[in-house]
Amino acid sequence: MLLPTPAPDTASAPDTATAWVRAHLADLCRDEPVASPAFRGGQQAADTALAALDLTGYAARRNEVLPVGRRGATRLSPWIRYGLIDLPTAWAAAADAPARDRTKFRDELAWQEYARHLYARVGRRTAAALRAAPARPAQPWDEPWPAAMNCVATCVEELETDGWLVNQTRMWLSSQWTVRAGAEWTEGEDRFFTHLLDGSRAANRLGWQWTVGGGTGKPYGFSRWQVRKRAPQLCRDCALRDACPIEHWPADAPPEPRPEPDPRLRADPDPEATGGPREPAGEGEPEAVWLTAESLGDADPALAAHPGLPAVFVFDEPLLARLRLSGKRLVFLAETLADLGTRRPVEVHRGTVPGVLRGRAVAVTHAPVPGFRTRAAEVGPVRVHPWPWLFRPHAGPVSSYTAWRKKAR
């Protein structure tokens, strides 16, 4: 189904993307579509955020939680997730930062790249513990995120309202969900994925694996001292401050059998397939550019190579019906498409990607996600452009960030 292209906001119509999602995609959303009060989609918003990047003090303050004014997190992740800022561009933007802050920021970008390499190589295998059984308490809790815990309730509210969390509170919530409460980590990961504007299976799953110990065997321990250190007012204002359920660390549960590691964690039998083409591949002249959710920025290689062609984006109806994402994620996408539409023709469809694109001569940028290979095989693009890797995938181990980083060039 061809939809009208979303229009950009104006002074007289400030919520056009929200209205557009309500009109055309509301039945696919988990909740009432609203815009995030903290972020706007689109290349212009991404460029503004990147231009304002100041990494001074980043290494010392990136884990601060409250007050908000002390946070050192860059908040670039929603635009990075959709390719509005690619990792090489973010890496270059840190060139003039103080050395310690530059190193720490680039290390975080490398972690994002590691997540993509891991996901591109082993795909949906990341939905199960990679190297160790997740840590769980001897006595599970009835509710993984109890509303009576002020630290938990405040973080959940920010997640569900803004669609974003600092890295520290992501670890708090994921550790609380599984390591503390004993709930299944993949269900918590789904809760994150539903709401996070930067939610990707690559980064989101890796973060949960690391926190609950599924990737390293060493879980991140969430307890009261961390809240007191990063956001002490949450403890002062908590109804449970005199009976804190996370005052002490619970007794360890009996160890569970370790999963059999996927052999691809040690070596990639086909790193070229994992990385995608190094140069534009394919025959024929495209008539349009197929946009994927991984790469919506003006610098997308396929868009940049074919500036006169219309861009085509498909809201994948079966996928969205299954995922039931928060409406703010779809509003962010609509804002991004509206912004792109001010610079070139944009077609927006609702349906299936093969149903819309099969038979059309399209160019596309390779995307490092399992679904891309399946859909590209069905669509048959005439030109596939290289993904803008920060580090080209290698054949060596991805069993840990450290092992991967030693060979990343």
Side-chain angles (χ1 to χ4, degrees):
M1 178 192 306
L2 179 63
L3 303 176
T5 302
D9 288 352
T10 64
S12 58
D15 298 309
T16 54
T18 299
W20 187 90
V21 172
R22 288 176 177 173
H24 302 291
L25 304 173
D27 61 309
L28 300 175
C29 299
R30 181 177 298 270
D31 49 22
E32 179 71 12
V34 296
S36 166
F39 298 91
R40 286 290 178 270
Q43 188 66 59
Q44 294 183 67
D47 291 346
T48 298
L50 189 62
L53 179 67
D54 182 358
L55 293 173
T56 305
Y58 174 81
R61 296 191 295 111
R62 61 176 293 273
N63 285 322
E64 292 299 324
V65 177
L66 291 177
V68 171
R70 278 195 51 78
R71 290 179 177 178
T74 67
R75 294 165 56 91
L76 295 180
S77 58
W79 299 295
I80 288 175
R81 185 265 178 266
Y82 292 107
L84 296 159
I85 301 172
D86 60 40
L87 291 182
T89 298
W91 184 280
D96 296 329
R100 180 167 176 256
D101 300 312
R102 179 177 65 245
T103 297
K104 187 59 182 175
F105 177 69
R106 286 180 168 176
D107 192 54
E108 292 303 313
L109 297 181
W111 174 268
Q112 289 287 325
E113 185 78 331
Y114 167 55
R116 291 175 176 176
H117 284 209
L118 177 67
Y119 192 50
R121 185 187 294 190
V122 305
R124 295 177 179 87
R125 175 65 180 80
T126 59
L130 293 173
R131 298 173 59 201
R136 296 176 187 272
Q139 182 60 47
W141 295 25
D142 292 334
E143 171 55 48
W145 287 340
M149 292 174 62
N150 195 29
C151 56
V152 169
T154 299
C155 295
V156 171
E157 181 181 10
E158 186 172 12
L159 168 68
E160 296 181 350
T161 301
D162 291 350
W164 189 80
L165 291 168
V166 296
N167 187 61
Q168 186 72 194
T169 55
R170 296 180 196 223
M171 293 192 296
W172 289 2
L173 287 182
S174 50
S175 182
Q176 168 61 35
W177 183 277
T178 296
V179 184
R180 274 281 181 186
E184 174 57 46
W185 75 268
T186 55
E187 295 176 5
E189 191 264 328
D190 278 339
R191 285 280 295 272
F192 270 26
F193 188 78
T194 294
H195 292 284
L196 286 173
L197 296 179
D198 59 19
S200 71
R201 291 302 190 190
N204 202 37
R205 282 181 181 162
L206 180 61
W208 275 77
Q209 293 257 11
W210 185 89
T211 302
V212 305
T216 63
K218 300 177 181 178
Y220 169 83
F222 174 47
S223 55
R224 187 176 188 176
W225 77 267
Q226 291 152 323
V227 182
R228 284 174 166 162
K229 179 179 180 181
R230 303 295 184 186
Q233 52 269 64
L234 294 179
C235 286
R236 289 197 303 265
D237 299 337
C238 184
L240 300 178
R241 62 183 176 273
D242 296 325
C244 179
I246 60 170
E247 183 73 54
H248 305 290
W249 193 245
D252 292 335
E256 297 184 28
R258 283 180 171 262
E260 183 67 28
D262 190 308
R264 292 173 295 176
L265 293 176
R266 295 191 298 271
D268 189 342
D270 192 354
E272 289 303 304
T274 299
R278 293 176 180 267
E279 302 290 339
E283 301 290 338
E285 288 298 320
E287 64 181 45
V289 175
W290 166 26
L291 290 180
T292 72
E294 310 307 314
S295 188
L296 294 173
D298 286 6
D300 168 78
L303 280 179
H306 307 285
L309 298 183
V312 183
F313 184 82
V314 182
F315 283 95
D316 190 324
E317 186 172 28
L319 177 64
L320 292 174
R322 175 171 59 83
L323 293 176
R324 290 288 173 187
L325 300 177
S326 170
K328 59 185 167 289
R329 291 198 64 171
L330 301 192
V331 170
F332 188 90
L333 287 171
E335 291 169 339
T336 298
L337 296 170
D339 176 65
L340 181 62
T342 65
R343 295 181 295 281
R344 66 190 300 156
V346 175
E347 291 180 24
V348 182
H349 297 258
R350 170 176 168 160
T352 67
V353 174
V356 171
L357 296 176
R358 188 184 290 117
R360 293 189 70 175
V362 297
V364 68
T365 296
H366 173 85
V369 296
F372 174 77
R373 297 182 188 180
T374 302
R375 286 171 176 77
E378 295 174 308
V379 170
V382 298
R383 195 73 51 81
V384 179
H385 291 264
W387 175 260
W389 293 108
L390 181 58
F391 307 113
R392 178 81 185 176
H394 57 66
V398 293
S399 51
S400 70
Y401 172 75
T402 302
W404 167 82
R405 191 69 177 89
K406 287 178 180 178
K407 290 186 174 295
R409 296 288 184 270

